[in-house]
Amino acid sequence: MVRAYILIQTEVGRAAEVAERIRGIEGVTEAHDVTGPYDVIVQAEADDVDALGTLVVARIQRLEGIARTLTCPIVNI
Amino acid sequence: MVRAYILIQTEVGRAAEVAERIRGIEGVTEAHDVTGPYDVIVQAEADDVDALGTLVVARIQRLEGIARTLTCPIVNI
Amino acid sequence: MVRAYILIQTEVGRAAEVAERIRGIEGVTEAHDVTGPYDVIVQAEADDVDALGTLVVARIQRLEGIARTLTCPIVNI
Amino acid sequence: MVRAYILIQTEVGRAAEVAERIRGIEGVTEAHDVTGPYDVIVQAEADDVDALGTLVVARIQRLEGIARTLTCPIVNI
Amino acid sequence: MVRAYILIQTEVGRAAEVAERIRGIEGVTEAHDVTGPYDVIVQAEADDVDALGTLVVARIQRLEGIARTLTCPIVNI
Amino acid sequence: MVRAYILIQTEVGRAAEVAERIRGIEGVTEAHDVTGPYDVIVQAEADDVDALGTLVVARIQRLEGIARTLTCPIVNI
Amino acid sequence: MVRAYILIQTEVGRAAEVAERIRGIEGVTEAHDVTGPYDVIVQAEADDVDALGTLVVARIQRLEGIARTLTCPIVNI
Amino acid sequence: MVRAYILIQTEVGRAAEVAERIRGIEGVTEAHDVTGPYDVIVQAEADDVDALGTLVVARIQRLEGIARTLTCPIVNI
């Protein structure tokens, strides 16, 4: 199992709408509106790095209103 | 009361227009055109962090011509 | 209560050590090593924005090995 | 007269100390601790762009604890 | 007289076209296509900072194909 | 011969499609989907720096779905 | 097996030295000096994401002269 | 002949000193103090990309007071 934080920049004015819909995606465990250089921060999990990549590109990035996503996989060192 | 600086990138060529209209929004106390990586810098205030978030997302980001906003809440340490 | 994500860049080679010691700070609820432009991502809470600022500057930033911190307060819009 | 916002990143843990001492510099009209990618945001004024450059390099940057400064001159378009 | 470097990001594929047309704007003294995080670097001059701001917002940013501009005024310290 | 890494940000959701089509361009030797601040990383080669610039602007940036490219020429020091 | 590009900023003047020594680390398959916002770009592989994190933090970041590393895991979507 | 702009961040307070000494390096044709995210912008030329890399790493980066350099080679498309 790979877990990750996904830092999201949305199109202007759409942060609340994106945060709400993103919570409905399987694999997303938490999603919050934030201030700062990012608009929404998500916590997600997937079976492995490839599945994580697919979750981001094929499902999260398909939501309307998303401009950029930055995936930060959690590593246990 | 929470006060903040909001650093704004506008769509190309729209800095002057955005700075002017943003001054009309309740909660915005100052707005200036600047050079550098940002186009307009605003000073704003709201009752608390959530109200500040709403001011940014629900009113400032609704103005035409805004590309990115970066909210920097003032903290008294 | 104000909650926030704090994105941390550490001095090279010190991510694991920082993540471990940061978990011991009161107000920090979670801390993970990550890959990407940040080395550690923390979840924290404080009474208000000023208390959050003090938690970051007066306690988290005092840990050895921290280079930059970026605080992203959670807003409920 | 040229006015500017100066966005400052300080060495970790030194934001409060820098904000306090910077208020004592002639030409600085306001200085605040903030959260986000910057630690202190200053408002300053000088006779012209060269004088502004000198204020930044020869006085503000001489304060202990400053890591980076980003000067954003205000322009009246 | 104020001189400045203006670092320009263009829409994808339009660097050459932007560099060529920008050379025709009064106040622009040089313009080059470059690789790296910027696509075109311009050298320009104006009577003062406000005139420089107007040159950037009212003429350079009006050219088709420009995505972001970053103005770096030259200072004689 | 000049070789380079080209770091590419794509429009949201189009990383896989861009990586696949970019492999078909003459001069591109490898292309991978990645996570982090970039979506696709390409390895390419050209006769000299100008030819590299033309490869990037006139062919790679012409592909649909590309938002930003950052060319990092390899240097033998 | 997880493969990744690692984008490295070195201390000034140490790019060539870092690129040479990094090639000696087990798991590093290629390393090049580059121009642009990064100084060295490495290709590496490890058994999984955690092993990749350990390779970066426990071995690559231990080399003298490294200032920042940015790990971009390759994903097969 | 390859020409390039080199965008330099200096250690705080050392911009003027760096700009002056950098003008003495063979291959540097112009150097200016600037405001904005960079402190000094240099114009330089070398026989080819490798020679440009050597000029940057082996001579410019050896000057005291330099923190980061970003080389943007000029391309004729």
Side-chain angles (χ1 to χ4, degrees):
Chain A
M1 178 70 75
V2 171
R3 293 175 56 212
Y5 289 93
I6 303 168
L7 316 179
I8 295 174
Q9 292 181 335
T10 68
E11 289 163 26
V12 274
R14 306 191 73 173
E17 167 198 334
V18 163
E20 203 177 316
R21 269 188 285 121
I22 222 165
R23 289 185 191 105
I25 293 181
E26 200 201 324
V28 168
T29 54
E30 284 201 63
H32 296 111
D33 290 295
V34 291
T35 68
Y38 306 103
D39 303 303
V40 178
I41 293 185
V42 162
Q43 293 174 57
E45 56 190 26
D47 292 340
D48 55 38
V49 168
D50 289 343
L52 180 65
T54 303
L55 168 62
V56 170
V57 175
R59 265 170 277 142
I60 289 179
Q61 289 189 353
R62 287 287 148 83
L63 286 183
E64 267 201 36
I66 290 195
R68 282 299 307 161
T69 68
L70 172 51
T71 304
C72 304
I74 292 175
V75 288
N76 304 297
I77 302 171
Chain B
M1 178 69 74
V2 171
R3 291 174 58 211
Y5 289 93
I6 302 167
L7 316 179
I8 295 175
Q9 292 182 333
T10 68
E11 290 162 25
V12 274
R14 307 192 71 174
E17 166 198 335
V18 163
E20 205 176 314
R21 270 188 284 120
I22 223 167
R23 289 185 190 106
I25 293 181
E26 199 200 326
V28 169
T29 54
E30 284 203 62
H32 295 111
D33 291 295
V34 292
T35 69
Y38 307 102
D39 302 303
V40 178
I41 294 185
V42 162
Q43 294 174 57
E45 57 190 22
D47 291 340
D48 54 39
V49 168
D50 289 343
L52 180 65
T54 302
L55 168 62
V56 170
V57 175
R59 264 170 278 142
I60 289 179
Q61 288 188 353
R62 288 287 148 83
L63 286 183
E64 267 200 35
I66 290 194
R68 283 298 307 159
T69 68
L70 173 50
T71 305
C72 305
I74 292 174
V75 288
N76 304 299
I77 301 170
Chain C
M1 178 69 75
V2 171
R3 293 174 57 210
Y5 289 93
I6 302 168
L7 316 180
I8 295 175
Q9 291 181 334
T10 69
E11 289 163 26
V12 273
R14 307 191 73 172
E17 167 199 334
V18 163
E20 206 177 312
R21 270 187 284 120
I22 221 166
R23 290 185 191 106
I25 294 182
E26 201 201 325
V28 169
T29 54
E30 283 202 61
H32 296 111
D33 291 294
V34 292
T35 68
Y38 306 101
D39 302 302
V40 178
I41 293 184
V42 162
Q43 293 174 58
E45 56 190 24
D47 291 340
D48 55 38
V49 168
D50 290 343
L52 180 65
T54 304
L55 168 62
V56 170
V57 174
R59 263 173 278 142
I60 289 178
Q61 288 188 353
R62 288 287 148 83
L63 286 182
E64 266 201 35
I66 291 194
R68 283 299 308 159
T69 68
L70 172 51
T71 305
C72 304
I74 292 174
V75 287
N76 303 298
I77 301 170
Chain D
M1 179 69 75
V2 172
R3 291 175 57 211
Y5 289 93
I6 303 168
L7 316 179
I8 295 175
Q9 292 181 333
T10 69
E11 289 164 24
V12 274
R14 307 191 71 173
E17 167 199 332
V18 163
E20 205 176 314
R21 270 188 284 120
I22 221 166
R23 289 186 191 106
I25 294 181
E26 200 201 324
V28 168
T29 55
E30 283 204 60
H32 295 112
D33 291 294
V34 292
T35 69
Y38 306 101
D39 303 303
V40 178
I41 293 185
V42 162
Q43 293 174 58
E45 57 190 23
D47 291 340
D48 54 39
V49 168
D50 289 344
L52 179 65
T54 304
L55 168 63
V56 170
V57 174
R59 264 171 277 141
I60 288 179
Q61 288 188 353
R62 288 288 148 83
L63 286 183
E64 265 200 36
I66 290 193
R68 283 300 305 160
T69 68
L70 172 51
T71 304
C72 305
I74 292 175
V75 288
N76 303 297
I77 301 170
Chain E
M1 177 68 75
V2 171
R3 293 175 57 210
Y5 289 94
I6 303 168
L7 317 179
I8 296 175
Q9 292 181 335
T10 68
E11 289 162 25
V12 273
R14 305 191 72 174
E17 166 199 336
V18 163
E20 205 177 314
R21 270 188 285 118
I22 222 166
R23 289 185 191 104
I25 294 183
E26 201 202 324
V28 169
T29 53
E30 283 202 61
H32 295 111
D33 291 293
V34 292
T35 68
Y38 306 102
D39 303 302
V40 178
I41 293 185
V42 161
Q43 293 174 57
E45 57 190 22
D47 292 340
D48 55 38
V49 167
D50 289 344
L52 179 65
T54 304
L55 168 62
V56 170
V57 174
R59 264 172 277 143
I60 289 179
Q61 289 188 353
R62 288 286 148 83
L63 286 182
E64 268 201 33
I66 291 195
R68 283 298 308 160
T69 68
L70 172 50
T71 305
C72 305
I74 292 174
V75 289
N76 304 297
I77 301 170
Chain F
M1 180 67 77
V2 171
R3 291 174 58 213
Y5 290 93
I6 302 167
L7 316 179
I8 295 174
Q9 291 181 334
T10 69
E11 290 163 23
V12 275
R14 306 192 72 173
E17 166 198 335
V18 163
E20 205 176 314
R21 270 188 285 120
I22 221 166
R23 289 183 192 107
I25 293 181
E26 200 200 326
V28 169
T29 53
E30 282 201 63
H32 295 111
D33 291 293
V34 292
T35 68
Y38 306 102
D39 303 303
V40 178
I41 294 185
V42 162
Q43 293 174 57
E45 56 190 24
D47 292 340
D48 54 39
V49 168
D50 290 343
L52 179 65
T54 303
L55 169 62
V56 170
V57 174
R59 263 170 279 142
I60 289 178
Q61 289 187 353
R62 288 286 148 83
L63 286 183
E64 268 201 34
I66 291 195
R68 284 298 308 161
T69 68
L70 173 50
T71 305
C72 304
I74 292 175
V75 287
N76 304 297
I77 302 171
Chain G
M1 178 69 75
V2 171
R3 292 175 57 211
Y5 289 93
I6 303 168
L7 317 179
I8 295 175
Q9 292 181 334
T10 68
E11 289 163 25
V12 274
R14 306 191 72 173
E17 167 198 336
V18 163
E20 205 177 314
R21 269 188 284 119
I22 221 165
R23 289 185 191 105
I25 294 182
E26 200 199 327
V28 168
T29 54
E30 283 203 61
H32 296 112
D33 290 294
V34 292
T35 69
Y38 306 102
D39 302 303
V40 178
I41 292 185
V42 162
Q43 293 174 57
E45 56 191 22
D47 291 341
D48 55 39
V49 168
D50 290 343
L52 180 65
T54 304
L55 168 63
V56 170
V57 174
R59 265 173 275 142
I60 289 178
Q61 289 188 354
R62 288 288 149 84
L63 286 183
E64 269 202 32
I66 290 193
R68 284 298 308 159
T69 67
L70 172 50
T71 305
C72 305
I74 291 174
V75 289
N76 303 299
I77 302 170
Chain H
M1 178 69 75
V2 171
R3 292 174 57 211
Y5 289 93
I6 302 167
L7 316 179
I8 296 174
Q9 292 182 333
T10 68
E11 289 163 28
V12 273
R14 306 192 72 173
E17 166 200 334
V18 163
E20 204 177 314
R21 271 189 284 120
I22 220 165
R23 288 186 192 104
I25 294 181
E26 200 201 326
V28 169
T29 53
E30 283 203 61
H32 296 112
D33 290 294
V34 292
T35 69
Y38 306 102
D39 304 304
V40 178
I41 293 185
V42 162
Q43 292 174 58
E45 57 190 24
D47 291 341
D48 54 39
V49 167
D50 289 342
L52 180 65
T54 304
L55 168 62
V56 170
V57 174
R59 267 172 274 140
I60 289 179
Q61 288 189 353
R62 288 288 148 84
L63 285 183
E64 267 201 34
I66 290 193
R68 283 299 306 160
T69 68
L70 173 51
T71 304
C72 304
I74 292 175
V75 288
N76 303 298
I77 302 170

